Amino acid sequence: MTDFDRTRAMFRLPEGVIYLDGNSLGPLPVAAETRMRTAMRDEWGAMLITGWNRAGWMTQPRTLGDRIGRLIGAEPGHVVLGDTLSVKVYQALAAALEMRPERRVILSDSGNFPSDLYMAEGLIRMLGRGHELRVVAPGDVADAITEEVAVTLITEVDYRTGRLHDMADLTARAHAAGALAVWDLAHSAGALPVDVARCGVDFAVGCTYKYLNGGPGAPAFVYVAPRHADRAAPALSGWLGHAAPFAFEQGYRPGAGIERMRVGTPPVLAMAALESSLDVWEGVDMNALRAHSIELSEAFIARVEAACPMLELASPRDPAARGSQVSFRFAEGYAAIQALIARGVIGDFRAPDIMRFGFAPLYISPEDVGEAAARLASVMTERLWDDPAYRIRAAVT
Ligand SMILES: *Cc1c(COP(=O)(O)O)cnc(C)c1O
């Protein structure tokens, strides 16, 4: 059995469906079904509140954080789980800004996910100190890192196009300009090799429900570089980030290191499912994973371009400049994706005209790619998308 066969067999993939949306929500790991039942019956059910100590619920955010740390090149003890990615963006950005009190510019790019930009806007309003969110085109980030910049807030892989930023280079440029670098790994963690420590990243954040397959609503993670861990000031100073939560002191004292990035009660059941998801990653070689991912995306692009001249590649053509997804532009992209889903290939649509396909290398095979490209070709060449039923927009696209 190859490593790929082993990991693919660990997921529950519905019969007849080719799932190219694991970049938005990873599939269910088979073992999570049993793990969740155990967590409910034997832990919550049988232990009641004693589960916090006896079942390790309280230390889970750190234990699982370290397992994610291995996938993103973090030093042990510097990643913690909790809350959602939007909240973690806010925390990391706030802490980084406080370390550059004399500067006022947050630099991001127009390819960033809107929530990151919205959280920055809200934080600027709360601080009330005249900060500016400067948003440039993705290709202009490097040149926009000036000595005015306090913090760069960059998402490594663009959620629409799959464009991959050079984390080592942009981090080095930020540092050379005296700025701090906050990286969002939403579409990188579990999609490609990441090495936050080697790149000298100051703060990194990400979610666990995309390529990490933790399930809908799975908690986010935050990494703080060891050199900042005991200095970062937590903007969300909740009791579980306190130095002694159960001393119930009246005033806040930040916990040691990464502990201070915790806020409140962790989502214990969601973390039980995430445990099973992380089991799948045990022994996975990230470089082999990347090679498989590139093989898949290259094959998909070649086949789709050969059969569908009406689709325009929106992703970088150079695989080294791409994450693990491929996007095409098409004016009727929403309808085309609906028609494709009706034919068993699940991709998704991102406004205004992006048809997006994720190639999660743990469970997508070259055969899946061939079959998905063939079904897409028939949707496009036979204009199967041209049906009013496919134009009705659902709330979640
Ligand atoms: C998916 C994603 C989010 C989503 O944030 P949540 O708080 O988990 O809903 C935020 N930022 C980026 C870059 C994303 O890709």
Side-chain angles (χ1 to χ4, degrees):
M1 200 189 226
T2 67
D3 211 38
F4 174 77
D5 293 332
R6 182 185 68 82
T7 56
R8 182 178 171 105
M10 293 174 91
F11 290 101
R12 179 131 358 256
L13 296 165
E15 197 58 44
V17 170
I18 298 175
Y19 192 56
L20 303 183
D21 216 354
N23 51 313
S24 230
L25 176 69
L28 172 67
V30 178
E33 296 174 5
T34 319
R35 179 67 191 93
M36 284 295 272
R37 207 172 313 119
T38 309
M40 297 223 256
R41 199 183 43 205
D42 302 347
E43 297 180 12
W44 180 18
M47 297 182 191
L48 296 166
I49 200 166
T50 66
W52 286 110
N53 292 318
R54 287 165 65 202
W57 294 345
M58 198 50 94
T59 48
Q60 225 172 1
R62 287 284 298 278
T63 318
L64 299 187
D66 272 344
R67 296 180 70 187
I68 290 167
R70 180 184 82 80
L71 303 177
I72 62 164
E75 301 87 344
H78 291 275
V79 176
V80 76
L81 288 168
D83 316 295
T84 77
L85 177 50
S86 304
V87 173
K88 282 341 205 190
V89 166
Y90 190 90
Q91 278 185 296
L93 182 59
L97 282 178
E98 213 165 325
M99 292 178 167
R100 288 294 177 274
E102 70 291 355
R103 296 192 182 195
R104 289 289 176 276
V105 175
I106 300 164
L107 179 67
S108 193
D109 73 67
S110 54
N112 204 347
F113 190 77
S115 199
D116 296 35
L117 303 176
Y118 301 160
M119 294 309 279
E121 281 182 30
L123 176 59
I124 287 172
R125 205 174 55 244
M126 288 309 294
L127 290 172
R129 288 170 44 217
H131 283 91
E132 172 198 344
L133 174 62
R134 191 171 291 170
V135 180
V136 301
D140 295 338
V141 170
D143 290 336
I145 301 175
T146 63
E147 296 197 351
E148 281 177 290
V149 175
V151 178
T152 59
L153 174 63
I154 307 288
T155 296
E156 189 184 18
V157 177
D158 187 312
Y159 75 105
R160 280 203 202 91
T161 64
R163 183 190 198 286
L164 175 65
H165 274 302
D166 185 337
M167 181 183 281
D169 178 59
L170 293 182
T171 303
R173 285 173 189 264
H175 291 167
L180 292 178
V182 176
W183 284 94
D184 189 327
L185 307 177
H187 295 275
S188 334
L192 60 149
V194 178
D195 200 335
V196 291
R198 190 183 55 78
C199 293
V201 165
D202 297 289
F203 294 84
V205 293
C207 52
T208 61
Y209 51 78
K210 292 174 179 165
Y211 291 94
L212 295 176
N213 315 304
F221 63 86
V222 58
Y223 161 81
V224 181
R227 62 188 176 281
H228 302 315
D230 285 318
R231 294 203 302 132
L236 302 177
S237 40
W239 73 304
L240 289 187
H242 191 281
F246 288 88
F248 298 106
E249 294 167 9
Q250 185 165 326
Y252 182 78
R253 285 189 293 127
I258 195 69
E259 284 288 329
R260 63 184 58 193
M261 288 292 146
R262 296 177 66 161
V263 181
T265 303
V268 172
L269 296 178
M271 282 194 291
L274 181 58
E275 254 180 69
S276 301
S277 320
L278 293 175
D279 287 343
V280 179
W281 287 99
E282 287 301 320
V284 170
D285 172 345
M286 298 309 281
N287 292 315
L289 183 94
R290 176 69 169 154
H292 181 57
S293 151
I294 287 177
E295 179 193 339
L296 299 174
S297 61
E298 288 287 273
F300 189 69
I301 292 173
R303 282 169 185 257
V304 173
E305 286 195 320
C308 310
M310 65 297 279
L311 297 184
E312 181 201 341
L313 182 66
S315 299
R317 194 167 288 284
D318 174 7
R322 231 175 28 229
S324 201
Q325 66 169 73
V326 171
S327 304
F328 288 96
R329 290 206 156 82
F330 182 58
E332 293 287 346
Y334 183 79
I337 286 288
Q338 299 316 304
L340 193 58
I341 293 173
R343 286 156 184 85
V345 179
I346 302 185
D348 65 17
F349 171 78
R350 285 293 173 265
D353 60 355
I354 295 275
M355 297 169 69
R356 189 171 72 153
F357 304 95
F359 295 93
L362 286 183
Y363 52 85
I364 298 299
S365 69
E367 294 71 36
D368 293 330
V369 167
E371 186 54 34
R375 291 190 209 172
L376 176 58
S378 90
V379 164
M380 299 311 302
T381 55
E382 298 164 41
R383 291 180 66 92
L384 301 177
W385 53 265
D386 196 2
D387 178 328
Y390 295 140
R391 294 207 176 88
I392 302 165
R393 300 259 173 136
V396 175
T397 63

